[in-house]
């Protein structure tokens, strides 16, 4: 039986048995593999690092989409950077209040192959009339676009290869220039136990750009090593203090049903372990 051995960490990691390879090829930017696994369903990896699985993707996509949108309260325009599998686009478009989503993905082939081999992720989201798909480097887009957004979601790979640019001050300042008054940026920021330096580095870079920055977290089984940190950056420090009553009202009004997100989990996610608090300060 062939195995996929993740190469994110040199001295430890996870493996998946490969029941069937659906796609394996070097794209213009990355090495893309999509395969079937008995436990996690269809799995996608880029450059040896697990990106998403059918079984646990809901945790990540719900927490990175609904926390900023429900905290904001009237997000009309959303920008997704990365997100080639389409799961984030699917979750954002579930909000009928969202009128427009631009998704900027560097690798066209990731979208094409995920549409074909991971249909349960996008579920037709790429064809939604509100979706505008742009093939470009996210850091170029946010520094050159005239468009503005209420929520920016960086659904990137780890800071390796093309994803590295999405952890730079140039990217964060570009996101800031694209954010409307009261807007918020959230990003995938690594698993704190094995990638704590990413939290420290991002905190330093956000500190000089935004009035309010912090992290919130969720544990996604196939992003190994415990909780994953999501960066939160905005000039409206009231956003992350949205009351549970208001979150409950907005969640109910959205009509969205979720499998991980709840208003209580939303609020609790901003409570961080001591070692992460120290890494931010
Ligand atoms: N959920 C995954 C995670 O947490 O690692 C990430 C999902 S998604 C597959 C990551 C996407 O970021 C990929 O489709 C990749 O092509 C895209 N990407 C990487 N670097 C990029 C860049 N500089 N600009 C735009 N998209 C980029």
């Amino acid at each position: 039986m062939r195995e996929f051995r993740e190469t994110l960490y040199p001295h430890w990691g996870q493996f998946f048995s490969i029941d069937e390879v659906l796609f394996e090829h070097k794209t213009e930017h990355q090495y893309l593999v999509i395969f079937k696994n008995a436990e996690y369903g269809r799995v996608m990896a880029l450059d040896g690092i697990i990106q998403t699985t059918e079984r646990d993707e809901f945790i990540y996509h719900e927490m990175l989409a609904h926390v900023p949108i429900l905290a904001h309260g009237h997000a009309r325009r959303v920008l997704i950077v990365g997100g080639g599998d389409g799961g984030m686009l699917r979750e954002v478009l579930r909000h009928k209040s969202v009128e427009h989503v631009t998704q900027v993905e560097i690798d066209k082939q990731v979208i094409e192959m995920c549409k074909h081999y991971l249909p349960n992720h996008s579920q037709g989201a790429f064809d939604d009339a509100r979706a505008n798909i742009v093939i470009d480097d996210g850091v170029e887009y946010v520094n050159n676009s005239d468009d503005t957004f209420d929520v920016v979601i960086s659904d990137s790979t780890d800071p390796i290869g093309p994803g590295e640019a999405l952890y730079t001050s140039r990217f964060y300042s570009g996101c800031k220039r694209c954010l409307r008054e009261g807007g918020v940026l959230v990003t995938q920021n690594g698993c704190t136990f094995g990638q704590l330096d990413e939290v420290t580095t991002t905190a330093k870079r956000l500190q000089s750009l935004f009035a309010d920055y912090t992290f919130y977290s969720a544990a996604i089984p196939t992003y190994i090593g415990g909780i994953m940190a999501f960066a939160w950056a905005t000039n409206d420090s009231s956003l992350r203090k949205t009351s549970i009553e208001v979150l409950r009202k907005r969640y109910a009004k959205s009509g969205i049903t979720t499998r991980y997100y709840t208003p209580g989990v939303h609020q609790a996610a901003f409570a961080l372990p001591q070692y992460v608090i120290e890494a931010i300060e």
Side-chain angles (χ1 to χ4, degrees), residues 32-253:
L32 169 60
V33 182
I34 302 175
F35 61 88
K36 277 186 186 169
N37 169 267
E39 287 286 332
Y40 281 89
R42 293 175 179 222
V43 180
M44 189 258 275
L46 287 171
D47 292 340
I49 301 172
I50 291 295
Q51 297 299 307
T52 191
T53 84
E54 282 185 319
R55 188 168 170 206
D56 68 356
E57 56 90 0
F58 70 97
I59 303 171
Y60 172 83
H61 292 122
E62 288 182 15
M63 286 303 281
L64 205 48
H66 305 319
V67 169
I69 291 174
L70 292 175
H72 184 283
H74 45 275
R76 299 278 178 271
R77 301 180 63 79
V78 176
L79 171 64
I80 298 169
V81 177
D85 53 80
M88 198 63 69
L89 184 61
R90 176 199 75 217
E91 283 306 304
V92 168
L93 287 170
R94 292 176 71 193
H95 291 271
K96 293 299 160 249
S97 54
V98 168
E99 295 163 358
H100 172 91
V101 185
T102 287
Q103 175 164 353
V104 182
E105 163 58 56
I106 199 166
D107 198 327
K108 188 173 169 41
Q109 220 175 352
V110 172
I111 291 182
E112 285 164 358
M113 291 305 113
C114 289
K115 264 176 154 174
H116 188 71
Y117 292 112
L118 283 176
N120 295 329
H121 272 65
S122 51
Q123 294 178 17
F126 287 115
D127 303 320
D128 189 300
R130 294 173 289 166
N132 165 40
I133 312 301
V134 174
I135 302 301
D136 193 4
D137 183 334
V139 67
E140 295 314 315
Y141 181 86
V142 293
N143 280 289
N144 297 302
S145 167
D146 298 331
D147 224 337
T148 56
F149 303 92
D150 301 303
V151 171
V152 176
I153 300 172
S154 178
D155 177 12
S156 72
T157 45
D158 287 280
I160 298 158
E164 200 164 357
L166 304 182
Y167 293 78
T168 59
S169 297
R170 181 157 182 268
F171 176 67
Y172 299 136
S173 58
C175 291
K176 181 181 175 181
R177 71 178 280 281
C178 287
L179 277 173
R180 290 173 152 186
E181 189 69 26
V184 55
L185 161 67
V186 291
T187 84
Q188 187 272 95
N189 213 100
C191 291
T192 57
F193 202 75
Q195 299 171 301
L196 193 60
D197 57 323
E198 288 180 30
V199 166
T200 307
T201 309
T202 299
K204 272 202 202 93
R205 293 174 178 165
L206 294 177
Q207 188 177 23
S208 56
L209 290 165
F210 293 91
D212 184 45
Y213 70 95
T214 186
F215 296 82
Y216 65 102
S217 76
I220 299 104
T222 54
Y223 299 154
I224 59 170
I227 57 170
M228 170 173 266
F230 303 114
W232 173 274
T234 176
N235 286 329
D236 180 350
S237 48
S238 70
L239 284 190
R240 65 173 155 123
K241 298 178 188 112
T242 308
S243 72
I244 189 89
E245 293 76 17
V246 168
L247 290 175
R248 283 196 182 117
K249 233 183 272 151
R250 289 176 181 170
Y251 179 54
K253 189 160 173 271

